[in-house]
Amino acid sequence: MTKKLLLKDIAKLAGVSEMTASRALRGAPDVSAKTKAKIEEIARSHGYVPNRIAGSLSSQSVNLVAVVVPSLNSFVFPEVLSGISAVLKESPLKPVVGVSGYDLEEEESVIREMLSWRPSGLIVAGLEHTEATRRMLQQADCPVVEAMDVDGDPVRHCVGISHLQAGREMAEQILARGYRSIGFIGTKMPQDFRARKRFDGFTDGLAAQAVTLADLEHYSGESSIQTGRQMTAQMLSRSPDLECIYYSSDVMSVGGLMHCLAAGLSVPGDIALAGFNNLQILQGLPLQLATTDACRHEIGERAARIILKSRETGGAEGLVFDRLTPAISLGETL
Amino acid sequence: MTKKLLLKDIAKLAGVSEMTASRALRGAPDVSAKTKAKIEEIARSHGYVPNRIAGSLSSQSVNLVAVVVPSLNSFVFPEVLSGISAVLKESPLKPVVGVSGYDLEEEESVIREMLSWRPSGLIVAGLEHTEATRRMLQQADCPVVEAMDVDGDPVRHCVGISHLQAGREMAEQILARGYRSIGFIGTKMPQDFRARKRFDGFTDGLAAQAVTLADLEHYSGESSIQTGRQMTAQMLSRSPDLECIYYSSDVMSVGGLMHCLAAGLSVPGDIALAGFNNLQILQGLPLQLATTDACRHEIGERAARIILKSRETGGAEGLVFDRLTPAISLGETL
DNA sequence: TCCGGTATCGATAACGGTTGCGATACCGAT
DNA sequence: ATCGGTATCGCAACCGTTATCGATACCGGA
């Protein structure tokens, strides 16, 4: 809580100019090893922390990458983040996270806030934005990546998987195994566009073989095991003839499995189950649940690499459109 | 991707001085409603995003609160974060997250990095830091809160629960139910100090009634259902007479429960289980697992309130030491 | 001894806003 | 018409650091 310590103070203490002190502390060249050591020692012992606000303004560079995701509770985005961090670790860049809460208006204000710090890059989940957000993404003088989804019209770079296709493929797999009476349990959240696309892809896939959903339920609030269990119980009591349920998230399908365990239903004998994401929590359960891997870590890695490369080349590299193919794992519940 | 847009450009377009434009866009007084509207319209239509780096340097104020946590994957810290966000939402402050990866050296560098942005406050998980970190926390000219834990010597403000006590109380509850052959499964992570304290408290609690651990296992890597299941299987095959297992995390105890389900063991008849955290994933399982609530959301809220209050009063308020009492819920597995 | 070249350092001018205070315009009251 | 007061605006200095470029010191070779 002592007086504010400035570079000028350190310089004075070391008997050098501000410039030399600045260079020494940044590891810039043109400083002799001796004076550098001296300056570092003084700075360290006095607990000097350089003011990066001033530094960034002056150098016109901010070594931060803005990452905007809908939520941090949902198991899925932290893993995208860890992919990003892993790649950025080898560079001077650091990720900074913003949370939009599955709300496009909030997303707009979060992105505006982040861009006002002039980051070196921006990674945002999803392709759906307000018009004002799209304008900002276009105008931004840093690389911009829209991640996780490829079904839509990206403003600039894009990495992700097709959720439409993921839904469709799961439908095909389910039909291929002979199930015909099929239910769907998904989020009501109007702005979870990727869940919506999986739903659309799924019903498309069914329709292609002239099958329509036997039952359908939407829940509000975040996905949870608890909710999955309740919804499943509800749906099965309403539609006892159901042969298979597809959930918009693994968390929900785990809940479904829990209901079946409690109700003494055999899976997939009495009822087949499938989810989406291939979350970590699927490991270690009594049964290996069917799911589609969402490539979360890899999407994060690739998004970060796009930022890095675009920085090197000065953005003259052309736009990346990177569509990953998610792998279905059938597990033991189909 | 047009030319960089500066305040001066907006001012020119609106036919006013930079100052007036600045005031208008910040909602500062001394601007007529008419000119303000005009300036805002021009800024909006051109997609102008003010440069907060320059603004913050000039105004000597950054409306950010740095939050440093060990991990974002672990279910527990996102909830602390949501508590912080909820409280900060009513203020101009925004949280910025840094991840230390359960590594004090990394924590030091993350904190240094965050402080270099001169935030309005700093919230960090845990009381254990390197000496250099402690110096920085002392020196920082913003309020600092150490959160989640109260067993130790806080540098400034502090909110949390006693993990020593949480472990001890769980030991008492377990003993009170007559269990005597007790195992513990915990993380090997040397720098997960809170898990360590729960372990110490737990063995203390047992020792107080002359009981010693019948078996003990430490795993490395992050906690997961999978690991919990494997460790439990391992321990039970090694110590078949075990009556109860205490885990350092709910995620692990869920894995234990899964093993018991798969192995046809009755819980708590054959083996009793207890975890820690009261995580959301406990809801919806076949059995309600015993656990201790870690007050994550509330800790976040209180930490944020300390920052807010300390800002109002200019830090002249005296240090807060806020010890919450975690509630044990015995569930159906003890 | 003198010279060119390199290593090391410092003075100055930004960087893009905001604070503080002074200037101007406009109003009703005298 | 003059005046005091308020609403509105602009000028200049400054925030703390870094880029740029010029200055100085030092070295080996001619």
Side-chain angles (χ1 to χ4, degrees), chain B residues 126-128 146-153 158-172 193-202 204 246 275-277 292-296 299 321-328:
Chain B
L127 293 163
E128 287 77 16
E146 289 166 279
M148 317 230 27
D149 190 3
V150 296
D151 299 319
D153 180 28
C158 180
V159 209
I161 63 170
S162 166
H163 290 257
L164 271 169
Q165 188 195 338
R168 206 177 297 121
E169 283 185 355
M170 188 55 90
E172 288 160 5
F193 299 97
R194 290 177 290 286
R196 175 64 201 233
K197 286 170 186 171
R198 291 196 294 279
F199 173 69
D200 290 343
F202 189 69
D204 276 7
Y246 181 44
F276 177 85
N277 260 331
T292 307
D293 190 276
C295 309
R296 301 184 298 288
I299 286 175
F321 186 93
D322 200 353
R323 174 183 178 141
L324 308 187
T325 20
I328 284 193

Side-chain angles (χ1 to χ4, degrees), chain A residues 7 19 22 48 58:
Chain A
L7 182 61
M19 258 331 291
S22 168
Y48 169 70
S58 177

Side-chain angles (χ1 to χ4, degrees), chain B residues 7 19 22 26 48 51 54 58:
Chain B
L7 181 61
M19 260 329 296
S22 168
R26 277 177 300 138
Y48 170 71
N51 185 329
S58 175

Side-chain angles (χ1 to χ4, degrees), chain B residues 2 34 45 48 57 68 98 105 110-112 120 142 144 192 264 314:
Chain B
T2 47
K34 215 178 90 188
S45 71
Y48 170 71
L57 178 61
V68 179
E105 301 297 329
V110 169
I111 288 182
R112 190 190 312 284
S120 294
C142 66
V144 172
D192 186 344

Side-chain angles (χ1 to χ4, degrees), chain A residues 30-52:
Chain A
D30 286 3
V31 186
S32 75
K34 216 179 90 187
T35 55
K36 177 172 171 182
K38 180 174 171 188
I39 293 169
E40 277 172 343
E41 165 56 19
I42 291 182
R44 211 186 42 68
S45 70
H46 288 255
Y48 169 70
V49 178
N51 185 328
R52 228 178 273 263

Side-chain angles (χ1 to χ4, degrees), chain B residues 84-295:
Chain B
I84 295 175
S85 308
V87 168
L88 257 33
K89 199 138 264 159
E90 315 298 317
S91 80
L93 301 185
K94 304 212 179 301
V96 180
V97 190
V99 178
S100 66
Y102 285 107
D103 174 346
L104 292 192
E105 301 297 329
E106 178 69 7
E107 180 188 79
E108 176 178 330
S109 95
V110 169
I111 288 182
R112 190 190 312 284
E113 169 79 15
M114 307 230 93
L115 285 180
S116 75
W117 290 102
R118 302 293 188 263
S120 294
L122 172 65
I123 299 173
V124 53
L127 293 163
E128 287 77 16
H129 315 286
T130 66
E131 253 320 301
T133 302
R134 291 181 64 91
R135 263 203 304 276
M136 285 192 288
L137 298 186
Q138 260 149 4
Q139 296 270 331
D141 68 337
C142 66
V144 172
V145 182
E146 289 166 279
M148 317 230 27
D149 190 3
V150 296
D151 299 319
D153 180 28
V155 176
R156 316 246 301 253
H157 304 291
C158 180
V159 209
I161 63 170
S162 166
H163 290 257
L164 271 169
Q165 188 195 338
R168 206 177 297 121
E169 283 185 355
M170 188 55 90
E172 288 160 5
Q173 291 293 336
I174 287 172
L175 291 173
R177 264 151 201 77
Y179 302 107
R180 286 298 176 273
S181 178
I182 300 163
F184 182 92
I185 296 181
T187 173
K188 194 178 291 179
M189 209 143 11
Q191 309 215 5
D192 186 344
F193 299 97
R194 290 177 290 286
R196 175 64 201 233
K197 286 170 186 171
R198 291 196 294 279
F199 173 69
D200 290 343
F202 189 69
T203 52
D204 276 7
L206 297 183
Q209 301 189 32
V211 174
T212 57
L213 275 181
D215 201 348
L216 170 63
E217 185 75 58
H218 285 291
Y219 58 92
S220 51
E222 294 236 2
S223 309
S224 72
I225 296 177
Q226 173 84 307
T227 313
R229 181 171 172 171
Q230 288 167 350
M231 294 286 112
T232 305
Q234 205 169 305
M235 181 173 282
L236 285 180
S237 81
R238 184 175 53 204
S239 310
D241 296 335
L242 226 48
E243 299 163 354
C244 177
I245 303 179
Y246 181 44
Y247 300 82
S248 67
S249 160
D250 282 341
V251 188
M252 295 292 291
S253 69
V254 170
L257 180 60
M258 290 303 139
H259 166 75
C260 295
L261 283 179
L265 296 172
S266 106
V267 177
D270 294 325
I271 180 81
L273 305 173
F276 177 85
N277 260 331
N278 194 20
L279 296 181
Q280 157 98 45
I281 55 163
L282 296 189
Q283 310 304 320
L285 298 184
L287 281 173
Q288 187 72 34
L289 274 155
T291 191
T292 307
D293 190 276
C295 309

